[in-house]
Amino acid sequence: MPELKETNGFQYLENSRFDRISIQNRHRPAIAEVETFKRYPHAVKIPLPRTWTLEEDQLTPLLQNRRSLRKYSTEPLSLEHLAFMLWASQGITGQAGRYLFRATPSAGALYPVETYISVHSIQGLAAGLYHFDVEHFALDRLTEQDKAHNVAQACLDQKFMVQAAVVFLWSGVFRRAMSKYGDRGMRYILLDAGHICQSVMIAAEAVGCGGCPVGAFYDNEINQLLQIDGDEESILYAASVGRKFLKVN
Ligand SMILES: Cc1cc2nc3c(=O)[nH]c(=O)nc-3n(C[C@H](O)[C@H](O)[C@H](O)COP(=O)(O)O)c2cc1C
């Protein structure tokens, strides 16, 4: 089996990185488009009911109302709500022998995704960059300077991100999954990141917030901010989260 950097999985990640120079010469791929919906016009169609009843259904409104939110109230978020989102994404929720299980699934229970947050406006928490210590359900402070602008700039200058109370930044520690699964491990890492982000989006909705997943960033700029090397560990995905504006009737 090839070493990490020689794997197709790693090469793929490397070849699909964004940086400020190459992005200027980026063209749409010469791949023909297809329709959004796959249709089976000749199949028997069975209409589905929309009348499900779930006892004390709290999930339906969260899923129904979730929409990528790019405008946030300036009101700060509470530390409890931030903690809830972190727990919903990566909190330890079970144990079997020496295995600890988390709130989101992970291929082989290897948990290759690390969570960092760029805090801009959380009550009782200094702005800055933090790492989520899953084991101790705590935050490791990396820097006390507010990096909201730097993070937004590194995310292709997506200005709305500066207003978010917090930006989640998810990296992959490739060896965790690839030492067991090789190239296929890269798939699993990306799938894990998707689970995690969706859990944060739903948890955000549950606490009166909204979020926006962000896949557009200059990989190396985020890696530098997080002081991760880009080889053993590299940014995969991000999401901004902030409070919704209260509706005035
Ligand atoms: C992998 C992924 C990457 C995304 N990256 C960005 C992004 O960089 N900037 C942004 O504004 N929205 C981003 N989005 C949000 C999509 O634009 C959004 O999900 C889509 O328009 C559907 O809208 P909805 O989320 O409100 O249902 C991303 C979504 C996904 C799943």
Side-chain angles (χ1 to χ4, degrees):
M1 190 123 90
E3 237 305 282
L4 179 65
K5 288 179 89 171
E6 273 78 55
T7 59
N8 290 327
F10 187 86
Q11 296 288 325
Y12 160 71
L13 199 80
E14 186 117 303
N15 293 337
S16 58
R17 279 180 183 167
F18 280 165
D19 63 65
R20 285 180 194 264
I21 310 286
S22 65
I23 206 165
Q24 288 168 13
N25 304 314
R26 192 166 46 100
H27 302 293
R28 267 192 107 98
I31 301 171
E33 293 180 6
V34 285
E35 286 180 12
T36 304
F37 296 104
K38 190 168 178 191
R39 296 194 170 92
Y40 288 86
H42 305 299
V44 174
K45 233 180 240 315
I46 299 113
L48 291 167
R50 291 180 184 269
T51 48
W52 58 80
T53 48
L54 308 173
E55 258 165 57
E56 296 186 44
D57 181 13
Q58 292 165 346
L59 188 58
T60 304
L62 302 182
L63 293 170
Q64 175 67 49
N65 295 333
R66 185 212 62 79
R67 201 79 297 140
S68 288
L69 189 73
R70 299 179 183 84
K71 278 189 179 152
Y72 310 103
S73 144
T74 51
E75 206 188 329
L77 208 70
S78 72
L79 187 58
E80 285 75 16
H81 287 170
L82 171 67
F84 172 63
M85 288 185 259
L86 287 165
W87 174 83
S89 63
Q90 283 288 266
I92 293 174
T93 51
Q95 183 165 13
R98 64 190 177 91
Y99 286 97
L100 296 172
F101 298 111
R102 304 190 191 177
T104 46
S106 174
L110 294 170
Y111 306 105
V113 174
E114 290 290 325
T115 304
Y116 300 84
I117 53 172
S118 167
V119 168
H120 180 56
S121 171
I122 307 280
Q123 270 164 7
L125 188 63
L129 293 176
Y130 296 81
H131 167 256
F132 176 35
D133 175 348
V134 172
E135 221 182 343
H136 301 102
F137 199 59
L139 292 171
D140 303 312
R141 181 176 291 154
L142 305 181
T143 159
E144 280 188 59
Q145 288 160 350
D146 190 343
K147 296 286 182 187
H149 273 97
N150 308 63
V151 168
Q153 273 172 2
C155 291
L156 272 62
D157 303 303
Q158 299 189 71
K159 306 259 180 304
F160 71 89
M161 295 180 74
V162 180
Q163 307 304 331
V166 59
V167 175
F168 290 76
L169 299 159
W170 292 290
S171 72
V173 177
F174 305 117
R175 267 175 217 278
R176 266 189 219 148
M178 293 179 75
S179 58
K180 179 170 182 188
Y181 296 117
D183 274 331
R184 200 168 182 86
M186 186 59 85
R187 282 197 201 203
Y188 296 157
I189 294 168
L190 300 175
L191 292 168
D192 276 22
H195 288 299
I196 290 168
C197 182
Q198 174 69 354
S199 289
V200 168
M201 295 298 96
I202 299 301
E205 195 64 42
V207 297
C209 291
C212 184
V214 170
F217 40 73
Y218 302 116
D219 302 57
N220 289 339
E221 293 188 19
I222 298 279
N223 288 341
Q224 271 172 20
L225 279 169
L226 299 179
Q227 295 184 17
I228 55 178
D229 68 356
D231 288 345
E232 294 292 323
E233 180 180 358
S234 187
I235 185 72
L236 300 173
Y237 205 9
S240 53
V241 171
R243 295 184 82 91
K244 291 182 183 178
F245 285 105
L246 285 178
K247 279 190 189 132
V248 184
N249 292 322

